């Protein structure tokens, strides 16, 4: 599975950006798709995910500001980010996991290349 992310860039505080990610390859068994982010000096953290059941999960810090959506016909997941804050500045990574599990009984995980989001005041 390959994940190709697009979007990101620089925006002022209170602005909006939209990230998009398209999956290709053996995508028939994908479960969750979504976004993680990593700011300098911080660990990678979950931002938002959406399962194949359409259940969503958001980090508390982005609830009410970010919206994740998914189009299974196009194998895409998007993240609409509104009212951006300086603390949203990070490299955002597209993420997906699989219903299939590996020998460690954990789902296979896939990562896209990071895209930088910079929020300036």
């Amino acid at each position: 599975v390959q994940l190709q992310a697009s979007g990101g860039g620089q925006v002022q505080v209170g602005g909006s950006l939209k990230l998009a990610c398209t999956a290709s390859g053996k995508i028939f068994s994908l479960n969750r798709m979504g976004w993680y982010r990593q700011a300098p000096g911080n660990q990678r953290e979950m931002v938002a995910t959406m399962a194949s059941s359409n259940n969503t999960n958001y980090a508390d810090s982005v609830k009410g500001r970010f919206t994740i959506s998914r189009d299974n016909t196009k194998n895409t997941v998007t993240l609409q980010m509104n009212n951006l804050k300086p603390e949203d500045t990070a490299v955002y990574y597209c993420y997906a996991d699989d219903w299939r599990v590996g020998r460690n009984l954990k789902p296979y995980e896939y990562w896209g290349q990071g895209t930088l989001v910079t929020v300036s005041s």
Side-chain angles (χ1 to χ4, degrees), residues 66-82:
F66 291 11
T67 302
I68 189 170
S69 59
R70 182 170 173 175
D71 185 341
N72 290 323
T73 65
K74 297 181 180 179
N75 305 312
T76 60
V77 62
T78 60
L79 185 69
Q80 178 65 47
M81 304 183 292
N82 297 329

Side-chain angles (χ1 to χ4, degrees), residues 11-91:
V11 66
Q12 291 189 327
V13 170
S16 298
L17 283 174
K18 187 173 185 178
L19 305 180
C21 177
T22 300
S24 61
K26 294 183 179 180
I27 58 176
F28 55 87
S29 57
L30 289 182
N31 180 16
R32 293 184 302 163
M33 294 185 71
W35 299 90
Y36 282 65
R37 68 186 180 188
Q38 186 168 19
N42 290 357
Q43 290 187 332
R44 191 173 296 188
E45 63 176 359
M46 187 276 297
V47 177
T49 61
M50 178 178 276
S52 56
S53 62
N54 289 333
N55 285 340
T56 58
N57 189 25
Y58 291 94
D60 288 342
S61 59
V62 307
K63 285 180 180 178
R65 300 188 297 121
F66 291 11
T67 302
I68 189 170
S69 59
R70 182 170 173 175
D71 185 341
N72 290 323
T73 65
K74 297 181 180 179
N75 305 312
T76 60
V77 62
T78 60
L79 185 69
Q80 178 65 47
M81 304 183 292
N82 297 329
N83 190 22
L84 283 160
K85 304 176 180 180
E87 51 264 41
D88 295 318
T89 296
V91 177

